[in-house]
């Protein structure tokens, strides 16, 4: 079997496993006919979208004047991400296109210029030059590029994602957010111009957080993956961002979202729950009825490329020079960006403590610390690092030897590889990092020496590289002890630890990361395609059937159907246009309209009682009031003695759950936790439900109804489906037109009741001698929510406003 065949076989197996593990996220079955699955894998093109293309362009010497021809060369940086995408491009069985900003071009003198000054023909030539590299450029003007990248991305998002308050980074410019939005829209426009329905879109990193939702708006059925290469902070910090909702909803336009570690995924889930009020599970988020999958995909490096680079003859020359320079010295290597989160200050503090605690290493150990420019210039940090370096060298160095060699410059590849090859220890003390691929490159370069790795537990790599010595960079004494432990290891222990790390790094490389994410995204998309989607309500059809019918029955839920859900139930007041539409419909003698709600009858009477001819049902079917009649208590003969016991349980949990409230109705009791802490509220709700099931439900004729951020205890014989049967009457075939709309679990009882009655009515009408009854009735069961929402309804609309608009259209029928 060839390597590609083996890859495809393992990918198919992974696809099946992921599909089965995600079956709670989708309605319908997961299985797809084999030919459909193979067709999807074969035809789906992958479009990888990154802020910068992995390529840059320079003017060709053949065209000193416009229109220019172009030379294409690879861009530096983001090596792991670009390596993963490149593995897809170079795979002969995958059609992969790359889309991103081309950045600035270089003229014949090597100076950089913005592309906005180029002629259309020169820009077109850039597009043509990149075609050979399967790349499509996006063009962004200078002001928006600066506001988007140097402004909002680097000054706001990057610090925030790395646990630094966004307001501490730089004075905020009001145009940064506008530029960030415009650039994301530019990318969306460029993408939709080349995208087909079957394409897989893979968006990368914090520069493009709004892009998934923008794509979803233009291409509702698109398969969109998003991967965040940076950390994601806790919800307590993230919620300080003014644009927090826009950012989260932007990401939730994805089919699947990937993170480096589970903790980052957990923080994102928590933010969606706390900031947006969405329900989540460890594997996904319910975004208004549509499930967004969440996964963890630790990134790797291009390990084969590192192996080749470390063995170059030019690297051997550098290694020889370094060995002579540091003969008989133990070498500690560190390479970081000059940022607060890199932990350089902590590293130097810990190294100084090490030399103090273990005098035997003085004059025998050298720390080679290389830094390169960070996200922003930080003079205070630079000054503090210089002070520490001077202090260590003054206290523990001499004219002949300095224990710290600090280089604030870019290293060329040969010098970097040489240092990684000869190092006796790699010390990484970052206080927050997405992955830290430098540690993985060190492992590949240590095939000869098997030197240890000390790794901060706050890196994304820490959970994957089990052979490393993990440390808390703030605990200087523990870091000092870890350095001594590393130098004191026996060769056998070094080898055991190294082999664990090397095996992981080589098997989980950038290619494995890219393939894993894409196969998981494909599986998620296939599972979504296999589910049964509810079609969108056809306005023309419902109006036509309504117009032709002689007897019409319309049944409507209230909260979430006629009015949007609100945090404070008392604020869910009926909109004026809805009252007008209901009034007109009730005035027609051919119509019977009933609002079937979980609200108590006092609320319904107050807000809807003035509509003449409107039937009302309250407390999920406990009460009903026919047009012109008094309220009927359908449970007046039932013993309500259980309410005291339930009330005491609810009071117990209300006292211990801030923000929760109790709503006592005549025939039921509801505990609301919508305004409580989302995660703690869900936890308390589960505890409360377990308590109710053990002490009440098991011995009394009541049931627990789990609603939207609430628990309701009611008699077991009560539900909205029973009201539907009452309204349909003893001769349900009398209705030519039946419409029923709702949005939550309690309304599913209505849909199921109508589905059952529709089957029996169809048979009754078919056997009737009355010609007017032989025609099938028109039933419209409508759920409010997305198309892939699990529901027994036959149609869906996206919002309560659509229900009101439909009622208005029906009311206009003469």
């Amino acid at each position: 079997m060839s390597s590609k065949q083996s890859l495809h076989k393992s990918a198919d197996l992974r696809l099946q496993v992921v599909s089965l593990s995600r079956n709670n996220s989708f309605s319908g079955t997961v299985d797809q006919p084999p030919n459909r699955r193979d067709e999807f894998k074969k035809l789906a093109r992958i479009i990888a979208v990154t802020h910068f293309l992995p390529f840059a362009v320079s003017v060709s010497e053949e065209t000193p004047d416009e229109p220019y021809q172009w030379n294409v060369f690879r861009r530096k940086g983001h090596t792991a991400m670009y390596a993963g995408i490149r593995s897809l491009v170079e795979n002969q069985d995958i059609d992969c296109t790359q889309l991103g900003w081309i950045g600035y071009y270089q003229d014949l003198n090597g100076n950089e210029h913005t592309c906005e000054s180029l002629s259309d023909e020169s820009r077109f030539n850039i597009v043509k030059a990149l075609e050979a590299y399967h790349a499509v450029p996006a063009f962004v003007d200078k002001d928006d590029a600066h506001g988007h990248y140097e402004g909002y991305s680097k000054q706001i998002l990057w610090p925030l994602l790395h646990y630094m308050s966004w307001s501490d980074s730089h004075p905020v410019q009001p145009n940064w957010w506008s530029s960030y939005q415009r650039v994301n829209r530019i990318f969306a426009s460029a993408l939709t111009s080349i995208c087909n329905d079957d394409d897989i879109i893979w968006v990368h990193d914090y520069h493009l957080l709004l892009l998934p939702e923008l794509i979803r708006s233009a291409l509702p059925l698109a398969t969109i993956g998003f991967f965040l290469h940076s950390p994601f902070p806790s919800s307590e910090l993230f919620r300080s961002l003014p644009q927090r909702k826009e950012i989260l909803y932007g990401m939730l336009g994805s089919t699947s979202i990937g993170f480096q570690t589970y903790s980052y995924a957990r923080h994102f889930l928590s933010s969606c729950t706390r900031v947006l009020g969405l329900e989540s599970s460890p594997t996904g988020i319910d975004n208004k009825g549509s499930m967004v999958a969440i996964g963890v995909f630790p990134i790797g490096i291009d390990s084969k490329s590192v192996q080749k680079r470390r063995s170059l003859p030019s690297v051997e020359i550098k290694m020889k020079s370094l060995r002579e320079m540091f003969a008989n010295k133990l070498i500690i290597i560190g390479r970081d960006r000059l940022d607060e989160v890199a932990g350089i200050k902590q590293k130097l503090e810990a190294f100084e403590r090490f030399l103090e605690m273990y005098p035997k290493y003085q004059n025998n150990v050298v720390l080679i610390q290389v830094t390169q420019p960070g996200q922003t210039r930080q003079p205070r940090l630079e000054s503090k690092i210089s002070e520490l370096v001077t202090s260590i060298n003054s206290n523990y160095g001499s004219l002949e030897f300095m224990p710290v060699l600090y280089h604030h410059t870019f290293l060329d590849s040969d010098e970097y590889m040489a240092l990684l090859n000869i190092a006796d220890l790699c010390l990484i003390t970052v206080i927050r990092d997405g992955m830290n691929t430098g540690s993985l490159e060190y492992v590949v370069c240590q095939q000869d020496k098997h030197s240890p790795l000390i790794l901060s537990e706050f890196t994304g790599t820490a959970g994957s590289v089990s052979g490393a010595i993990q440390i808390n960079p703030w605990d200087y004494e523990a870091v000092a002890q870890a350095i001594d432990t590393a130098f004191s290891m026996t060769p056998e222990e070094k080898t055991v630890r190294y082999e664990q790390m090397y095996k992981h790094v080589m098997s989980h490389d950038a290619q494995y990361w890219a393939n894993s994410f894409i196969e998981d995204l494909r599986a998620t998309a296939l599972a979504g395609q296999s589910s049964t989607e509810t079609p969108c309500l056809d306005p023309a059809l419902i109006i036509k059937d309504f117009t032709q019918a002689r007897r019409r029955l319309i049944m409507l839920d209230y909260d979430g159907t006629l009015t949007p859900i609100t945090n404070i139930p008392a604020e869910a007041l009926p909109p004026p246009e809805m009252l007008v539409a209901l009034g007109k419909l009730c005035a027609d003698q051919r119509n019977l309209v009933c609002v079937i709600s979980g609200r108590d009858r006092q609320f319904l009477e107050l807000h809807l009682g003035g509509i003449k001819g409107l039937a009302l049902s309250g407390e999920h079917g406990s009460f009903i009031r026919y047009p012109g009649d008094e309220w009927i208590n359908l449970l007046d003969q039932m013993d309500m003695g259980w309410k005291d016991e339930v009330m005491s349980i609810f009071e117990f949990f209300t006292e211990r759950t801030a923000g929760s409230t109790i709503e006592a109705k005549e025939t039921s009791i509801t505990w609301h936790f919508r305004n409580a802490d989302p995660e703690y509220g869900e936890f308390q709700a589960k505890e409360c439900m377990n308590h109710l099931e053990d002490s009440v439900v098991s011995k009394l004729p009541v049931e627990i109804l789990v609603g939207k951020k609430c628990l309701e205890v009611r008699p077991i014989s009560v539900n909205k489906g029973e009201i539907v049967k009452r309204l349909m009457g003893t001769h349900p075939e009398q209705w030519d037109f039946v419409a029923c709309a709702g949005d939550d679990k309690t309304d599913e009882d209505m849909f199921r009741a109508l589905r059952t009655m529709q089957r029996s009515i169809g048979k009754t009408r078919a056997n009737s001698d009355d010609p007017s009854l032989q025609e099938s009735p028109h039933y419209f069961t409508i759920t409010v929510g997305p198309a892939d929402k699990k529901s027994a309804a036959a149609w869906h609309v996206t919002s309560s406003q659509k229900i009101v608009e439909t009622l208005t259209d029906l009311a206009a029928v003469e």
Side-chain angles (χ1 to χ4, degrees):
M1 182 183 294
S2 69
S3 61
K4 286 188 177 179
Q5 287 174 328
S6 176
L7 175 64
H8 286 167
K9 183 174 181 179
S10 64
D12 284 340
L13 178 60
R14 248 194 338 268
L15 188 103
Q16 294 170 20
V17 171
V18 172
S19 295
L20 292 171
S21 68
R22 292 262 168 92
N23 60 359
N24 63 319
S25 301
F26 305 95
S27 59
T29 60
V30 174
D31 298 327
Q32 278 281 24
N35 59 342
R36 179 67 185 96
R37 187 183 295 268
D38 293 341
E39 180 186 359
F40 182 81
K41 290 180 62 179
K42 180 179 179 181
L43 296 181
R45 175 181 58 162
I46 299 168
I47 303 178
V49 189
T50 55
H51 174 229
F52 281 108
L53 277 176
F55 308 103
V57 294
S58 61
V59 175
S60 171
E61 293 181 355
E62 299 175 359
T63 54
D65 299 312
E66 287 208 66
Y68 297 129
Q69 296 297 324
W70 303 96
N71 298 318
V72 179
F73 58 95
R74 289 202 173 275
R75 188 186 302 275
K76 293 182 179 180
H78 302 291
T79 53
M81 177 181 71
Y82 289 150
I85 296 172
R86 186 168 65 249
S87 71
L88 299 176
V89 175
E90 294 174 353
N91 189 329
Q92 296 179 357
D93 294 330
I94 296 176
D95 181 6
C96 183
T97 298
Q98 303 166 87
L99 186 146
W101 182 39
I102 191 59
Y104 299 101
Y105 74 90
Q106 292 183 3
D107 62 19
L108 292 175
N109 297 318
N111 299 317
E112 292 188 337
H113 304 274
T114 177
C115 292
E116 64 183 309
S117 60
L118 292 174
S119 66
D120 290 342
E121 190 170 353
S122 291
R123 287 195 184 198
F124 177 76
N125 289 341
I126 292 178
V127 176
K128 296 296 289 183
L130 290 171
E131 281 183 359
Y133 298 87
H134 303 276
V136 177
F139 295 99
V140 181
D141 66 55
K142 183 178 180 180
D143 291 340
D144 277 341
H146 182 272
H148 167 265
Y149 184 56
E150 279 81 8
Y152 196 81
S153 294
K154 293 178 70 172
Q155 304 293 344
I156 302 296
L157 287 178
W158 190 90
L160 179 69
L161 295 173
H162 288 81
Y163 282 75
M164 299 165 62
S165 176
W166 56 272
S167 61
D168 292 343
S169 175
H170 197 279
V172 178
Q173 301 298 321
N175 65 315
W176 287 352
W177 172 241
S178 299
S179 294
Y180 188 84
Q181 290 176 297
R182 279 194 295 271
V183 170
N184 275 259
R185 286 196 291 267
I186 289 170
F187 271 74
S189 178
L191 183 62
T192 53
S193 68
I194 66 168
C195 189
N196 299 317
D197 291 340
D198 290 333
D199 289 341
I200 293 174
I201 302 166
W202 190 11
V203 182
H204 291 263
D205 223 6
Y206 60 92
H207 315 89
L208 302 171
L209 295 175
L210 304 180
L211 187 55
E213 185 182 32
L214 293 171
I215 300 169
R216 182 69 63 201
S217 298
L219 303 169
L221 302 180
T223 300
I224 306 168
F226 180 85
F227 188 84
L228 185 65
H229 293 262
S230 71
F232 196 94
S234 66
S235 60
E236 284 74 15
L237 184 59
F238 182 80
R239 68 195 308 170
S240 66
L241 182 68
Q243 299 83 21
R244 57 193 185 176
K245 290 187 177 181
E246 292 89 336
I247 294 294
L248 291 176
Y249 278 127
M251 296 174 69
L252 290 174
S254 308
T255 306
S256 177
I257 303 175
F259 295 90
Q260 301 274 19
T261 70
Y262 175 68
S263 63
Y264 303 158
R266 179 168 50 82
H267 291 158
F268 176 74
L269 291 169
S270 177
S271 292
C272 290
T273 300
R274 294 174 183 274
V275 175
L276 303 180
L278 302 178
E279 296 182 3
S280 65
S281 71
T283 59
I285 300 169
D286 185 354
N287 182 20
K288 301 175 183 178
S290 181
M291 214 55 195
V292 180
I294 302 297
V296 176
F297 306 89
I299 197 170
I301 60 172
D302 188 352
S303 51
K304 294 179 181 178
S305 173
V306 175
Q307 278 186 321
K308 291 179 181 177
R309 286 160 52 204
R310 70 175 291 269
S311 303
L312 293 173
S314 54
V315 174
E316 293 286 348
I317 296 172
K318 295 285 186 182
M319 289 170 59
K320 183 179 179 181
S321 174
L322 289 169
R323 287 193 184 103
E324 293 174 354
M325 187 183 305
F326 301 108
N328 302 319
K329 305 293 184 187
L330 293 170
I331 300 173
I332 302 175
I333 178 67
R335 186 196 188 200
D336 306 276
R337 286 185 178 274
L338 189 57
D339 288 312
E340 287 281 357
V341 298
I344 301 171
K345 182 172 73 71
Q346 286 76 12
K347 183 184 299 185
L348 293 170
E349 296 269 19
F351 183 66
E352 186 173 27
R353 185 69 57 85
F354 165 74
L355 294 176
E356 177 187 339
M357 292 173 60
Y358 302 96
K360 64 181 180 180
Y361 291 109
Q362 294 176 15
N363 297 316
N364 293 315
V365 177
V366 58
L367 169 62
I368 303 176
Q369 177 61 48
V370 181
T371 63
Q372 57 195 63
Q375 293 289 323
T376 58
R377 182 95 193 282
Q378 301 189 47
R380 284 187 297 177
L381 178 61
E382 293 177 23
S383 175
K384 181 61 178 176
I385 290 173
S386 296
E387 290 176 11
L388 285 169
V389 171
T390 302
S391 173
I392 296 171
N393 287 335
S394 299
N395 294 329
Y396 299 99
S398 63
L399 291 174
E400 295 83 17
F401 173 72
M402 290 188 296
V404 178
L405 290 182
Y406 179 72
H407 297 275
H408 182 47
T409 182
F410 283 99
L411 281 182
D412 68 37
S413 178
D414 289 348
E415 288 179 321
Y416 179 50
M417 289 293 109
L419 281 172
L420 294 182
N421 280 336
I422 69 167
D424 297 289
L425 175 65
C426 180
L427 179 58
I428 297 173
T429 57
V430 297
I431 59 178
R432 190 64 59 182
D433 201 359
M435 204 60 189
N436 195 279
T437 54
S439 60
L440 307 181
E441 293 172 335
Y442 170 77
V443 170
V444 175
C445 290
Q446 282 292 318
Q447 294 176 54
D448 300 325
K449 295 190 66 172
H450 298 179
S451 296
L453 168 66
I454 295 180
L455 187 63
S456 167
E457 65 187 54
F458 300 114
T459 65
T461 321
S464 306
V465 187
S466 57
I469 302 172
Q470 294 192 18
I471 49 92
N472 175 0
W474 299 100
D475 189 345
Y476 302 149
E477 187 169 321
V479 176
Q481 292 172 351
I483 297 173
D484 176 59
T485 299
F487 285 147
S488 304
M489 277 186 191
T490 63
E492 292 77 16
E493 184 178 355
K494 287 182 180 180
T495 300
V496 170
R497 284 178 172 270
Y498 177 77
E499 287 179 349
Q500 288 179 343
M501 295 188 291
Y502 182 76
K503 182 179 180 181
H504 172 81
V505 172
M506 297 304 293
S507 60
H508 293 74
D509 59 4
Q511 180 179 356
Y512 177 87
W513 163 74
N515 284 332
S516 298
F517 186 91
I518 292 299
E519 292 302 334
D520 184 81
L521 179 57
R522 281 175 166 161
T524 303
L526 284 168
Q529 291 170 2
S530 67
S531 65
T532 303
E533 292 191 344
T534 307
C536 186
L537 179 65
D538 185 343
L541 179 62
I542 192 172
I543 291 172
K544 179 177 76 70
D545 292 345
F546 179 83
T547 303
Q548 296 174 351
R550 298 180 302 276
R551 291 280 290 155
R552 309 151 176 163
L553 175 60
I554 300 174
M555 295 169 284
L556 306 162
D557 173 46
Y558 184 78
D559 290 285
T561 304
L562 293 177
T563 62
I565 295 290
T566 60
N567 287 336
I568 302 176
E571 292 181 352
L573 303 178
E577 62 270 23
M578 182 265 282
L579 296 175
V580 172
L582 288 180
K584 290 182 179 179
L585 288 169
C586 293
D588 191 329
Q589 296 298 318
R590 294 171 293 179
N591 304 333
L592 174 58
V593 183
C594 184
V595 174
I596 307 174
S597 173
R599 297 284 189 143
D600 58 39
R601 53 181 174 173
Q602 288 77 17
F603 179 92
L604 295 175
E605 191 72 54
L606 175 64
H607 295 290
L608 300 175
I611 301 176
K612 186 177 180 181
L614 178 65
L616 297 171
S617 176
E619 299 191 25
H620 297 295
S622 299
F623 296 90
I624 190 169
R625 192 203 72 176
Y626 292 102
D629 291 345
E630 298 296 322
W631 283 95
I632 301 172
N633 185 351
L634 302 178
L635 302 175
D636 58 347
Q637 301 300 319
M638 182 169 287
D639 180 13
M640 293 293 171
W642 53 268
K643 292 178 67 176
D644 292 338
E645 189 171 355
V646 171
M647 179 62 78
S648 65
I649 294 172
F650 279 166
E651 287 175 345
F652 175 87
F653 281 92
T654 301
E655 291 171 1
R656 290 157 178 80
T657 312
S660 64
T661 57
I662 300 173
E663 181 184 4
K665 305 173 186 177
E666 292 184 64
T667 59
S668 64
I669 306 177
T670 305
W671 184 65
H672 296 275
F673 56 94
R674 180 173 298 279
N675 295 320
D677 177 271
E679 293 182 358
Y680 187 62
E682 291 287 352
F683 171 78
Q684 288 290 76
K686 292 176 182 177
E687 292 292 309
C688 182
M689 189 161 65
N690 291 336
H691 196 62
L692 288 168
E693 288 174 345
D694 291 339
S695 60
V696 179
V697 176
S698 59
K699 61 184 180 181
L700 294 171
V702 295
E703 64 179 350
I704 305 171
L705 181 68
V706 181
K708 292 182 177 179
K709 303 291 183 181
C710 68
L711 295 178
E712 180 168 331
V713 180
R714 67 184 186 184
I716 201 165
S717 59
V718 172
N719 64 67
K720 292 184 178 182
E722 295 301 316
I723 295 297
V724 168
K725 295 175 184 177
R726 280 180 169 267
L727 292 171
M728 294 289 284
T730 55
H731 297 285
E733 66 275 4
Q734 65 180 304
W735 304 105
D736 305 302
F737 175 94
V738 178
C740 181
D743 73 305
D744 66 11
K745 295 177 182 178
T746 64
D747 302 313
E748 295 297 319
D749 291 329
M750 297 194 293
F751 301 149
R752 284 189 288 268
L754 280 174
R755 178 185 289 180
T756 302
M757 298 178 74
Q758 186 178 11
R759 296 194 192 102
S760 61
I761 292 169
K763 295 177 181 178
T764 302
R765 281 181 167 248
N767 298 326
S768 174
D769 294 330
D770 186 348
S772 64
L773 294 179
Q774 290 179 355
E775 185 179 346
S776 297
H778 302 293
Y779 279 55
F780 289 85
T781 49
I782 309 161
T783 185
V784 180
D788 56 359
K789 176 182 176 181
K790 294 180 181 179
S791 176
W795 304 89
H796 88 279
V797 293
T798 55
S799 66
S800 60
Q801 181 60 35
K802 295 292 184 183
I803 292 292
V804 174
E805 290 174 2
T806 300
L807 293 175
T808 301
D809 291 340
L810 297 182
V813 173
E814 295 295 334

